[in-house]
Amino acid sequence: MKKEQRKKLLVNRIGVKFSFSKTGHLLVKGKINGKSGVFIIDTGAAISCVGMYYAPYFQLRMRKSRFEIRAITDVPMPTEISKRNVFELGKWRIDQASFLTIDLDTVNQTFSTVNQEAVQGIIGNDIFKKYKAVIDYENKFIFLIIKK
């Protein structure tokens, strides 16, 4: 992409630095309701999620959800949902974020085998699509549009 095209594409967006895990996942630090965590950037996830054990830490008010999550094993997992949360990635912020709870044990067990820090959640396409995310792999930034 030419420099001028890139510049035009990133107007009205805030860039947030990410890193690669030892397993090749994209990781970003963020906050939910003022509490810090590490999240996987997952363009294949339809909905953003938080590990069920981290819901109290993030002060999420959970209620039963109509969603069922199907992991790669294709085993359906019931979920709970929390709406109207403050979600921050660097200087980017939204005040009406929703999160499902899921079991992240398998992910974090895999991470622990390579001495990788545990993650508390997954950021999915519900956020990427709405905020027109652009991922710059070369410079390790994700850019999200500013909504007023």
Side-chain angles (χ1 to χ4, degrees):
M1 179 182 302
K2 292 182 180 176
K3 190 176 182 179
E4 199 57 40
Q5 289 174 311
R6 185 175 183 272
K7 196 174 179 182
K8 203 180 238 187
L9 182 68
L10 301 179
V11 170
N12 295 324
R13 284 187 169 84
I14 291 179
V16 180
K17 192 80 170 158
F18 67 82
S19 60
F20 288 99
S21 73
K22 294 175 184 174
T23 57
H25 292 87
L26 281 64
L27 303 177
V28 65
K29 292 181 180 180
K31 291 182 180 180
I32 299 174
N33 299 325
K35 302 289 187 176
S36 297
V38 177
F39 303 88
I40 295 175
I41 296 172
D42 187 347
T43 59
I47 300 170
S48 297
C49 307
V50 167
M52 60 186 169
Y53 304 117
Y54 297 105
Y57 168 73
F58 288 121
Q59 302 170 343
L60 300 179
R61 291 185 181 164
M62 305 311 300
R63 62 179 187 169
K64 189 172 173 134
S65 167
R66 62 182 170 83
F67 297 100
E68 264 189 358
I69 298 290
R70 289 184 182 267
I72 199 161
T73 59
D74 203 35
V75 176
M77 296 181 278
T79 63
E80 292 184 315
I81 191 166
S82 178
K83 297 182 177 184
R84 292 184 222 120
N85 297 286
V86 175
F87 183 47
E88 301 169 85
L89 296 174
K91 293 181 181 178
W92 182 84
R93 173 188 164 126
I94 55 174
D95 294 326
Q96 297 291 317
S98 295
F99 295 95
L100 294 181
T101 54
I102 62 167
D103 186 347
L104 288 175
D105 282 351
T106 305
V107 172
N108 284 326
Q109 285 171 3
T110 300
F111 277 16
S112 73
T113 63
V114 293
N115 295 319
Q116 177 67 52
E117 179 181 5
V119 295
Q120 289 73 49
I122 297 170
I123 305 170
N125 276 329
D126 56 328
I127 298 226
F128 300 139
K129 187 175 178 183
K130 185 174 183 177
Y131 296 96
K132 300 177 182 169
V134 175
I135 300 175
D136 178 347
Y137 290 93
E138 184 178 342
N139 296 302
K140 298 180 186 171
F141 271 91
I142 183 166
F143 294 91
L144 299 149
I145 201 156
I146 304 163
K147 292 238 178 174
K148 297 185 180 187

